[in-house]
Amino acid sequence: MQATEITTRAGAVIGRCLKLASFSEDLESTRRTFLSPPVRSCHTELARWMEPLGVQVGIDAAGNFRGVYPGQQPNAPRLLIGSHLDTVPNAGAYDGILGVVLAVALLEELRGRRLPFGVEVVGFSEEEGVRFGTPFIGSRALVGRLDRELLDLCDARGISVRKAIAEFGLNPGEIPQAELPDNTLGYLEFHIEQGPVLEHLNLPLAAVHTIAGQSRLEFLFLGLANHAGTTPMHLRSDALAGAAEWIGAVERVAKEDPGLVATVGKIEAKPGATNVIAGEARLTLDVRHSSDEIRSRAVVDLTRQAKEIAARRGLSVRESIALDQRAVAMDPFLTGQIEQAIVKAACKSHRMVSGAGHDAMILAEKVPSAMIFLQTPSGISHHPAETVAHDDVEKAIACGLHLLDQLASSPEFLKRTNRA
Ligand SMILES: [Zn+2]
């Protein structure tokens, strides 16, 4: 970052993201998992920025940072703006964090002006699923889904979610109090795209209309391990060759449907020796689309093709489903408002699907939720090279301010609450 940029509001946002990235469990890189010690430094820093704005800050029993900027009336309904504060190992400085820091910047830009609704900045304690292997622990508390099963999950050192909460000085018994109040108007999340689409289109911002559904499966091709030198080609049952043919089919099927993505990200062949035909090949399949129907159809088609390939090659195949998660639509009203705000910020409006899961998908269970993506240079994320452009951050702030103004003058928005 250039020294001159620090003096701009976008430069300040970027500087704050870099500052929060310095609070890490690792010495040389950023790693901040659920309620690890550096999370406390993050909370302290956020409070330091927000308290001068008249924001009442607190940490809920799930470890989420909550800062309430009051509305014009004492019991004004509330709009939540935020994202997550935890990171993957060897993380960049912007995934999640930027959404929280931008929310703070928007409150600063209000310069003491009160809106007809309060604004609650939320920094979720856990989104990535690194420590306990299960994501969204923070946001699930807000929708009443941080249940006993989740609290009993243990990390690699045998510490449960419940114990981690207690060790951080919080009371797991108070988790129900973390739930969204009835007068919540909605949830907004700024997030980096974490993909190459906006850069490819040369656009700084986009409104997310849907968070894609996901299917995750495991396929096991079984053949016969045998000598690589003495077994002629026509007398083999090569599980890995069958799996390879099927991987080609996965790529073909995905390319036939616009928006469909399908990935074999992991393969394990056994026994795994240069001079032995593989008797076993275990593969993962990840399929995503904004339409659950298209996604399911692809999974059925690929399962059928795996069986056909296996039968033709004298192999057997078994599949098991690890995840079948439905697509989540963002709130059409808020998404439309975001598009208008993007145009007012002098950008071309664009709607897109999020291929990755986000906290907004959990909040959408209870309140109207929406997302704004910022272009991710080179599409790089979950890596220290992750970055954002100064001008795009400036446009995001402008978009956010227009959006707050639009919502403040919208009777349709103000009459909404999560029980409406
Ligand atoms: Zn994220």
Side-chain angles (χ1 to χ4, degrees):
M1 188 171 49
Q2 301 289 314
T4 52
E5 289 185 352
I6 297 170
T7 59
T8 65
R9 59 188 187 178
V13 165
I14 290 169
R16 282 175 169 180
C17 290
L18 294 171
K19 170 83 185 174
L20 295 185
S22 72
F23 302 134
S24 174
E25 291 165 76
D26 296 341
L27 223 51
E28 302 288 331
S29 59
T30 303
R31 173 212 295 261
R32 205 167 47 243
T33 57
F34 181 69
L35 297 185
S36 58
V39 169
R40 203 181 297 280
S41 314
C42 242
H43 290 167
T44 307
E45 194 70 10
L46 283 164
R48 203 168 64 77
W49 300 334
M50 293 169 77
E51 275 166 347
L53 306 174
V55 172
Q56 197 167 14
V57 305
I59 310 299
D60 69 26
N64 300 309
F65 179 92
R66 316 276 292 258
V68 181
Y69 180 81
Q72 286 157 358
Q73 305 298 326
N75 293 322
R78 220 178 268 178
L79 171 69
L80 267 66
I81 313 180
S83 191
H84 59 96
L85 293 172
D86 67 317
T87 75
V88 293
N90 200 32
Y94 303 98
D95 172 8
I97 320 306
L98 178 65
V100 184
V101 173
L102 274 172
V104 179
L106 292 178
L107 295 188
E108 284 174 339
E109 289 299 316
L110 288 176
R111 300 178 197 283
R113 184 159 62 95
R114 301 277 193 237
L115 303 172
F117 47 86
V119 177
E120 178 169 350
V121 176
V122 53
F124 291 111
S125 56
E126 211 287 343
E127 189 266 357
E128 300 283 5
V130 172
R131 182 164 174 188
F132 295 95
T134 296
F136 307 116
I137 293 175
S139 46
R140 285 200 230 196
L142 271 68
V143 299
R145 280 211 292 124
L146 180 41
D147 51 20
R148 184 182 296 181
E149 195 187 339
L150 211 49
L151 285 168
D152 287 341
L153 284 179
C154 285
D155 68 6
R157 289 181 299 145
I159 297 170
S160 67
V161 174
R162 187 192 314 276
K163 188 151 184 244
I165 288 172
E167 283 181 352
F168 198 78
L170 300 166
N171 179 359
E174 289 173 6
I175 285 172
Q177 279 112 276
E179 276 187 53
L180 291 168
D182 289 353
N183 62 350
T184 306
L185 290 164
Y187 171 70
L188 288 177
E189 182 168 359
F190 288 85
H191 203 286
I192 54 170
E193 179 204 343
Q194 300 180 285
V197 174
L198 289 177
E199 184 173 68
H200 190 71
L201 296 170
N202 196 22
L203 294 174
L205 303 173
V208 174
H209 64 80
T210 309
I211 297 179
Q214 297 184 26
S215 296
R216 292 188 194 176
L217 295 95
E218 189 177 85
F219 284 77
L220 177 64
F221 284 81
L222 291 169
L224 200 61
N226 210 337
H227 198 294
T230 61
T231 318
M233 295 311 285
H234 69 287
L235 296 177
R236 295 177 174 213
S237 301
D238 186 334
L240 187 53
E245 185 182 339
W246 180 69
I247 293 172
V250 170
E251 201 178 31
R252 267 195 310 281
V253 164
K255 282 180 171 171
E256 278 164 14
D257 244 312
L260 185 67
V261 286
T263 309
V264 175
K266 191 173 151 193
I267 182 161
E268 186 188 16
K270 281 185 180 171
T274 310
N275 58 351
V276 184
I277 298 160
E280 198 180 309
R282 196 180 287 274
L283 304 84
T284 58
L285 175 67
D286 179 309
V287 183
R288 305 186 192 202
H289 198 279
S290 58
S291 152
D292 291 327
E293 194 194 325
I294 292 174
R295 175 173 55 88
S296 303
R297 207 165 54 211
V299 170
V300 168
D301 184 17
L302 288 170
T303 305
R304 182 187 51 79
Q305 292 205 42
K307 290 188 189 335
E308 266 175 30
I309 291 166
R312 183 162 27 83
R313 289 170 166 269
L315 310 168
S316 66
V317 65
R318 288 204 299 260
E319 83 281 359
S320 58
I321 298 168
L323 179 75
D324 180 4
Q325 184 178 283
R326 297 185 65 81
V328 178
M330 296 289 94
D331 182 66
F333 172 81
L334 285 176
T335 305
Q337 292 290 316
I338 289 169
E339 285 188 292
Q340 286 179 31
I342 289 176
V343 172
K344 285 183 191 159
C347 305
K348 194 166 163 259
S349 120
H350 181 68
R351 295 183 150 226
M352 66 184 292
V353 174
S354 172
H358 293 288
D359 293 302
M361 160 182 124
I362 305 296
L363 273 287
E365 293 171 19
K366 281 280 169 73
V367 290
S369 298
M371 289 193 79
I372 301 139
F373 271 172
L374 282 82
Q375 186 189 119
T376 307
S378 307
I380 295 172
S381 183
H382 283 190
H383 187 276
E386 177 183 282
T387 181
V388 281
H390 175 275
D391 289 357
D392 294 354
V393 173
E394 170 53 38
K395 283 167 183 144
I397 297 170
C399 164
L401 289 170
H402 286 302
L403 183 59
L404 288 178
D405 282 339
Q406 287 165 217
L407 297 178
S409 59
S410 161
E412 186 184 347
F413 176 68
L414 294 171
K415 68 172 193 252
R416 300 171 139 213
T417 67
N418 65 345
R419 295 295 155 95

